[in-house]
Each structure stands twice: as C-alpha cells, then as structure tokens.
Amino acid sequence: MNAPHAPLPLLTFPDADKSPLSIRAKALVFFDPRSHEVRDEVERLAPLPQPVLIHGETGTGKELLARHIHRASERPGLFVAVSCSALSRNYADAELFGYAPGAHNGPVGSRAGWFGSANGGTLYLDEIADLPLSLQQKLLRVLQEREVLRVGAREPVPVDVRLVAATSIDLGQAVKAGKFLEGLQQYLHDGNLTLPPLRERIGDIQPLAEYFLGVHAQRLELPVPQIASDTQRALEGYSWPGNIRELENVIHFALLVSPDEEIRPEHLNFSGGVAGSGGVTKVSDEALEHLVRQPGVEAQLRALLQRLEHERGPEAAL
Ligand SMILES: Nc1ncnc2c1ncn2[C@@H]1O[C@H](COP(=O)(O)OP(=O)(O)O)[C@@H](O)[C@H]1O
Ligand SMILES: [Mg+2]
C-alpha cells in the first residue's frame, strides 16, 4: 500500500467539465523531474506568439499539452485539432485552407477550412510530417504571410493563427530524406518541446496510475482501490510502448477485474505481455538510475542480492 501523493499537478484545466472539447484529463500529472523540465518550458513558450513543435511517441500527451498551451496563451479563438494523417487525399487543401463559394460541391464541413476556424486561436497539426510536400509549402507561406488563399479564391484573407505541431518522428531526419520542407522545420525550430516516453519518466507512473484509478472509480461509482507495492514495481518496470494512453487502459482494466480493493500484479493486462514474462523490456539507464534513487528501492535491491548470494553461493554476488 502506498501513501497517496500530494495533489499538486501544476497544470490544470479548471473548467474542463464545461469545455466543449473532449478533454478527458483535467490535469497534466507531472511529477518526474523530466516532466518538470517540460512543464517549465511550456510555461515559457505558451504566452509567446511563436509556433511550437512537440516531439514525442504516441500517447505521451502531445495533444493534451497543446491544449494546455492554447489555454495558457489566452488567445481568444478556438483550439482546432487536425490529424494530418486523416486529411482526405483529394480535398486536403480545401479542408485545411478553406474554399471559395462555388469552388467545391461541399466536400468539407466549413468553407473557412481548419485555418479559418482556428483564426484568433490555435491550430494543432498532429503528425505534421504526414502532410504532402505541396501542402507543407502552402502551410509555410500562409504562416509567414499571415494570409490564406482559399481554394478557388482570388484574394487572400488575413488569418491570425498560432501553430502547435506534433510529430512522433525526427523532422531533421525527414528533412535529410527529402520528405520534409527545411523551411518549415526552421519555422518551427524555436519552439521545440520534447515529451519523453513514459518509461523515461518513471516518477510519473505511480501518480498517473492513482490519478486514472480515481477518475475511473468515480465514473463507475466504485471505491478507489489501493495499488499494491509489487503492482507499483510491475508498472514501473514495464516499457509502456503505448505510453500514457496504455497506462490509462491498463489501470481501467485492472479496476474492472480486481475483486477487492487492491490492484495486484495479476490484474495488469500489459499489451506486451505480463510484466516479468516478456512485457518488461529494456528500461533506459536514466530511468533505472531514477528508480534506484527512489526511497526503499536500494534496500530492496540489497536484500534481493543477499538472497541471491545466499541461494547460489558467492559467485552470484555482483
Ligand atoms: N501528463 C498527463 N496527465 C494526465 N493525463 C495525461 C497526461 N498526458 C497524457 N494524458 C492522457 O493520455 C492520453 C494520451 O494523450 P494524448 O495527448 O492524446 O497523446 P498523444 O497526442 O501524444 O498521442 C489522453 O487520454 C490524455 O488525456
Ligand atoms: Mg495524439
């Protein structure tokens, strides 16, 4: 059993319940020192007008962070999230930049396009490297000139949009491979944020697990179970390929299958298998160092080594 952590997630969404956007998390749970670095950088960048590029694996919280940046920027317009991989092939131009009356038979929801909808606010472009080069070119022009030429229109319309882009790949490498426009990469360069994968911010795992447990228990009108200490170790030892999204799913599942008020390791359904039987993969050195610095861990490791030594004889000692 673990003492609950002090409830001090520092980036909060005070009116998330009233928000029309589907914000599932009311707070960004940031406890690990690496997350604190990200948080500080976010606080610095949010009020500035410059674009932001968030780099991170899927499920690390890029969109949540982008929403926070929008909120903290106090820009009056909307936060508009667009997945570049989901834009339709034939109408991507019109979807993004809008179209003049008569230019289309209405293939997209709004003539203003996503850019027009985000006017005065923030446009979040997820997986920006998935935009075809021709659209990257147009995007850069629109951002630099602050006006957009809608498909089929003669005159450009002024727009004031702050771009927050996200990528799970290294844009520098994509530029070298000729798949990403160097000018666009440079345009995004000053506002770089990297969200480390969950396995490299182990200090966030327990607070996030408790947070999701609380959220789902409340939603399901269930008592909030405790996380057993060997469960915590299993959570911290897993590699989390799906990052925070996967952690939420694992906790949600565990809540539903645990018969009493304790989450035990057998309730954890990792996508990569059960911890200890292949699901636990490589943990980075940095993460391991952090883990070893946690209270009690060193003592447990020593006890384990002593047991090994005792069982196998002196050659097992490190
Ligand atoms: N720091 C965090 N605190 C609480 N919930 C988080 C945090 N980061 C991510 N989440 C949640 O994890 C899920 C994945 O986050 P998301 O922003 O969609 O990731 P990405 O855009 O990188 O794929 C979402 O449900 C989000 O609310
Ligand atoms: Mg996403």
Side-chain angles (χ1 to χ4, degrees):
M1 279 210 284
N2 303 288
H5 288 256
L8 47 88
L10 290 165
L11 303 181
T12 56
F13 294 95
D15 57 349
D17 283 339
K18 285 180 262 143
S19 173
L21 306 166
S22 59
I23 300 175
R24 282 203 289 146
K26 289 188 186 167
L28 278 163
V29 179
F30 273 174
F31 279 82
D32 193 274
R34 291 199 66 186
S35 297
H36 288 174
E37 282 168 26
V38 176
R39 183 200 56 204
D40 294 347
E41 193 56 8
V42 165
E43 309 259 281
R44 188 183 73 79
L45 287 172
L48 305 177
Q50 69 198 44
V52 175
L53 175 69
I54 310 175
H55 180 245
E57 290 179 8
T58 182
T60 47
K62 298 186 292 296
E63 184 167 343
L64 193 63
L65 208 59
R67 287 178 191 277
H68 176 78
I69 290 171
H70 170 66
R71 191 171 295 260
S73 75
E74 297 186 357
R75 291 177 63 81
L78 294 176
F79 176 88
V80 175
V82 178
S83 162
C84 295
S85 20
L87 286 172
S88 66
R89 207 170 62 121
N90 295 330
Y91 298 118
D93 195 348
E95 276 189 60
L96 268 180
F97 303 109
Y99 59 99
H104 277 272
N105 302 325
V108 284
S110 154
R111 275 202 200 129
W114 298 123
F115 244 93
S117 307
N119 199 8
T122 305
L123 180 67
Y124 174 68
L125 289 182
D126 196 12
E127 292 300 354
I128 191 170
D130 259 347
L131 275 185
L133 275 169
S134 61
L135 286 183
Q136 292 178 25
Q137 206 110 42
K138 183 161 178 179
L139 174 67
L140 182 60
R141 212 166 38 238
V142 169
L143 292 165
Q144 283 174 334
E145 287 166 20
R146 300 168 152 267
E147 50 182 34
V148 60
L149 186 66
R150 294 177 179 173
V151 173
R154 296 192 177 173
E155 294 295 321
V157 197
V159 279
D160 165 27
V161 166
R162 202 248 187 116
L163 181 71
V164 178
T167 179
S168 57
I169 66 155
D170 179 349
L171 288 189
Q173 245 179 310
V175 168
K176 281 200 199 112
K179 307 283 169 51
F180 198 78
L181 201 65
E182 191 169 8
L184 188 52
Q185 188 215 11
Q186 279 163 2
Y187 178 83
L188 293 169
H189 191 258
D190 288 340
N192 258 321
L193 274 177
T194 298
L195 262 180
L198 189 55
R199 64 186 161 277
E200 289 177 15
R201 36 179 167 135
I202 287 182
D204 286 342
I205 292 177
Q206 176 77 0
L208 275 167
E210 280 171 9
Y211 170 74
F212 288 130
L213 211 49
V215 168
H216 287 285
Q218 191 186 31
R219 189 174 59 79
L220 295 162
E221 298 177 12
L222 293 169
V224 184
Q226 295 287 336
I227 297 176
S229 49
D230 45 355
T231 308
Q232 183 182 343
R233 281 196 293 279
L235 291 171
E236 290 175 347
Y238 180 59
S239 62
W240 299 110
N243 294 292
I244 298 174
R245 187 172 296 115
E246 186 183 1
L247 173 65
E248 179 175 2
N249 291 338
V250 165
I251 292 295
H252 182 189
F253 180 88
L255 176 69
L256 296 175
V257 299
S258 56
D260 42 36
E261 285 169 32
E262 189 179 48
I263 306 286
R264 290 189 298 277
E266 64 266 28
H267 303 138
L268 302 176
N269 185 17
F270 294 121
S271 65
V274 174
S277 70
V280 178
T281 53
K282 250 180 64 198
V283 175
S284 71
D285 289 347
E286 224 171 317
L288 210 58
E289 253 175 53
H290 176 87
L291 181 66
V292 170
R293 273 187 262 115
Q294 298 292 302
V297 169
E298 200 189 336
Q300 284 171 31
L301 284 177
R302 280 190 198 290
L304 187 69
L305 281 176
Q306 266 170 9
R307 246 194 5 251
L308 276 176
E309 210 177 326
H310 179 76
E311 280 167 14
R312 296 199 200 156
E315 73 278 12
L318 295 182

